Amino acid sequence: MYAVQLCFRELPKKHFLLSPLIDKTESPLFLRCIQRFLCFRFRFSQLSSSCSAVLSSSVLLCRWVIKACYLTLRMANQLPMRDIMPHMKNWSCIVTVQEKQQITNSMGTPTRKQKFIFYDSEGSRVEGIIFNDDIPRMSQILQIYKKYKISNAGVRPIPPKFQTSELTIQWVISTRTVIEEIATDDEVMPVKFCYSKFTDLVQYMDDKTKSVDVLGVVISALERKTVIKNSRPSDVQKFVLLNEESQPVLLSLWDSFLANEGQEIVSKLHTYPVIVARRVKVNNYNGVALGTWFDSAILVDPPIQEARELKNWALRNTKFIKEIVEKKDYIKYSPQLSLKSGQKTTLICNINSSQKTIWVKAHFSFEHIFKKYWYMSCRNCCRATAADYQVEFTCNSCKEKHPAVPRCRFDVDLANSTGVIPASVFGELAENLLTFSALEAMQHFNENIELPLEFVHKELKSKMFLLHIKPVQTQLADSRQRYTVIYYSEIDDDADSVQLTDEPRDDSPFPSKESETVQLRAEGDNTARSKVCVQLSQRFDEPHSIEANEDEDAECSSNKKQRID
């Protein structure tokens, strides 16, 4: 580089071709271009001697400089991504589109924006962004995984409070930006993602300040639904993800994600598409589930090594995958992901209804609670109905036609040494606790015969259970908060920590919070017992089905989230 600089210092200052360039000889970019041209013309080892020859022939050097400048103009100062600094002009870069996010609105302003992530051959990454009226014109040009030559986009630093994915530089794409597609063969993206294991997702549950990246193969898609979210209808569809941990997880795609990446996934479902779900949230639907945020990104069959390996794993295990899909266990509560051995629990006296889910240790009691133990429901969505047993009807909730079937449901008291709370148990959980099926409970009720539960009540008095419960929105007549049992398992009463078989071991993040203490009743005192002694036949129209309860959280606000590395 220094030798090239010396060459220009020896040139005539008034040369009509070079005089506009003499003042630029101190520019590293200009000198680099000249050096590249000389290295191309001569062997690198002969560069010094070549420069000496140039000193003795200014005319020849002029020709070289003119050719070099022409090359420079044609290349438009093509640079690696790392050399493109804020406010730089007259540059170009070869990039590949790694992510193409959804169009979003800025909070409190009418500004619309769409973000991209680009990477180059060195693995450097930068954020791209298109605003407002430029979106419909420029967004369709940039397609995921395609390679482009981008020239003269606006370059600016990203303020720290808006930085995500550790990117600090932003390219502003407008209708004046020059973008040329470059034909290329498929290549492996030189970027690395940090994936969260499915078994680690529970520690990020319902934490709106954090998001995760996951890698999974899509093995099934549930029915697309329209739900009311923020007082507006929204489309949502759940997809079943599986990885080499062999534990399925549900991923909900909302609205624009469903209209774009969702359609692509459905069209490729028979080929087991692999997706990278970036910056998705973790919620507590059926134990642990995933959902898209406003700035999530779904990469379908990305050209990365991990995705190709996972797809090969899926193709080798098609029989195992088909068994999972046929059993449909993923639509039920899964304690394998949400429950950990040594589970931290909350004392009943410290339970707060603001907690979305709570783990507690308690006894079951329903000996003195009047009930009929079942209700008539839609076989598909489990919502209550007035239809008679086995009569086909069109459900007002799921809009499908199915026969009415009985479903087990009854209320219990959950009690330990610190307090007592009322709760409801549904479906298979209720049948296991009751030791009778819903059909048997219905038959006894219709024949006006009480269920023989003396042995059940006696056994329950001596057993302690670990329960996962969540608060119900509607309160009881006495204004007490009630809960729904979504999981329970018998444990040792005197165990310091929860010991469960066939469950992963780890700590749980659920905190203990102070709330009003509900004292256990003293001997001979019935005032503190749960007052859920009501005719449940009058309350069976309440939608408390665990399977039917769609805990579909709305897409979160634009609060910045910390990505988990």
Side-chain angles (χ1 to χ4, degrees), residues 111 182 205 286 468:
T111 302
I182 298 177
M205 185 184 296
N286 276 353
H468 199 190

Side-chain angles (χ1 to χ4, degrees), residues 28-163:
L29 175 61
F30 182 81
L31 293 176
R32 190 183 298 115
C33 294
I34 298 299
Q35 185 183 39
R36 287 178 181 175
F37 178 78
L38 291 175
C39 291
F40 174 77
R41 188 67 182 266
F42 300 98
R43 294 182 180 178
F44 184 80
S45 61
Q46 298 174 344
L47 180 59
S48 298
S49 60
S50 300
C51 292
S52 299
V54 170
L55 286 173
S56 63
S57 178
S58 60
V59 175
L60 181 60
L61 180 58
C62 290
R63 293 175 181 173
W64 288 346
V65 170
I66 292 171
K67 290 182 179 180
C69 292
Y70 178 70
L71 265 178
T72 302
L73 292 174
R74 288 192 60 184
M75 294 171 62
N77 295 339
Q78 184 171 311
L79 300 174
M81 191 177 287
R82 56 181 168 81
D83 288 345
I84 300 173
M85 297 291 108
H87 314 298
M88 182 179 286
K89 305 293 184 180
N90 191 29
W91 59 268
S92 68
C93 184
I94 304 296
V95 304
T96 302
V97 181
Q98 174 187 312
E99 292 183 21
K100 182 176 182 179
Q101 299 180 16
Q102 308 301 319
I103 300 172
T104 59
N105 296 321
S106 298
M107 291 186 63
T109 70
T111 302
R112 298 168 64 248
K113 62 183 183 295
Q114 184 175 26
K115 291 184 179 181
F116 298 78
I117 294 182
F118 305 129
Y119 70 88
D120 66 3
S121 58
E122 296 181 352
S124 300
R125 297 190 303 160
V126 71
E127 180 180 279
I129 191 167
I130 309 176
F131 289 105
N132 298 326
D133 294 339
D134 292 336
I135 294 176
R137 299 181 181 181
M138 304 305 294
S139 177
Q140 59 185 350
I141 298 176
L142 297 169
Q143 298 299 321
I144 193 79
Y145 313 140
K146 294 291 186 66
K147 181 174 286 189
Y148 300 91
K149 179 180 178 181
I150 297 180
S151 303
N152 300 327
V155 185
R156 65 184 188 180
I158 304 175
K161 66 179 180 178
F162 297 121
Q163 291 178 9

